[in-house]
Amino acid sequence: MDLYRTPASALDRFVATKLQPRKEFTEKARRALGALAAALRERRGRPGAAAPRVLKIVKGGSSGRGTALKGGCDSELVIFLDCFKSYVDQRARRAEILSEMRALLESWWQNPVPGLSLNFPEQSVPGALQFRLTSIDLEDWMDVSLVPAFDVLGEGFLDCSRIGGSLGTTQDFQF
């Protein structure tokens, strides 16, 4: 079916079948990222220090906006942490926090989501941990960036904000 020959009444079906990722992949990726969000919230102590508390997780990228296309898409999870006291502090502790997040992600993936694989590309964004979720048949993939962030506006503001969706539990994470 060609887009130019598609009648207006069939455009929704055309987009769903030809342009959007398969529902099976999207649901698996959504479940995986929801479980990861829960693991980030529940992580327990680091040796010699208290683990940073996750204040809020905000989703972005084409998956977060619902504009993902078949083949590949991206998702950003901005993770507001209580351990940062300023932007200067965030920059100073960025490598430490990203290292902890990678260790947590590798540990969490010991029980992988069936039908998905996870790998780490070369890290090209200094302030983010990047990984890729791929369907087993390699037809669909999602590049994910975990971005630790300083909550400049304060914890109470984020609870009432309109800047993004909350990832409180695996049930309320949606794409």
Side-chain angles (χ1 to χ4, degrees), residues 12-13 15-32 68-71 73 113-116 135 137 139-140 142 175:
D12 287 340
R13 185 174 55 244
V15 169
T17 59
K18 302 289 185 186
L19 301 178
Q20 293 179 332
R22 293 175 296 165
K23 284 189 182 228
E24 178 185 0
F25 172 77
T26 303
E27 289 171 7
K28 286 180 182 179
R30 178 185 51 81
R31 281 195 310 270
L69 295 176
K70 190 174 279 198
C73 59
V113 175
L116 294 178
S135 63
D137 61 11
E139 285 189 30
D140 293 301
M142 179 184 296
F175 278 97

Side-chain angles (χ1 to χ4, degrees), residues 35-172:
L36 175 58
L40 286 166
R41 288 184 184 280
E42 295 167 4
R43 69 184 178 165
R44 296 296 178 243
R46 304 171 293 173
R53 187 168 66 93
V54 173
L55 301 173
K56 180 146 181 140
I57 300 175
V58 178
K59 61 187 173 185
S62 61
S63 293
R65 289 186 307 272
T67 58
L69 295 176
K70 190 174 279 198
C73 59
D74 68 324
S75 182
E76 287 83 32
L77 300 180
V78 180
I79 304 161
F80 292 93
L81 301 171
D82 71 345
C83 64
F84 299 132
K85 304 304 177 207
S86 67
Y87 287 119
V88 173
D89 186 37
Q90 176 181 331
R91 184 178 182 108
R93 298 192 58 204
R94 178 173 48 203
E96 167 196 355
I97 297 298
L98 290 173
S99 176
E100 289 177 19
M101 286 183 159
R102 181 167 180 148
L104 177 81
L105 183 59
E106 289 171 345
S107 171
W108 168 75
W109 196 256
Q110 295 302 311
N111 297 315
V113 175
L116 294 178
S117 66
L118 178 139
N119 60 44
F120 293 94
E122 183 176 328
Q123 300 296 302
S124 60
V125 178
L129 173 63
Q130 299 170 303
F131 63 94
R132 179 175 278 189
L133 292 173
T134 308
S135 63
I136 296 299
D137 61 11
L138 304 177
E139 285 189 30
D140 293 301
W141 51 264
M142 179 184 296
D143 285 333
V144 181
S145 297
L146 301 181
V147 183
F150 167 56
D151 179 12
V152 69
L153 299 174
E155 184 176 349
F157 180 80
L158 282 176
D159 292 338
C160 300
S161 73
R162 294 180 180 212
I163 59 174
S166 170
L167 296 179
T169 66
T170 55
Q171 288 82 18
D172 62 30

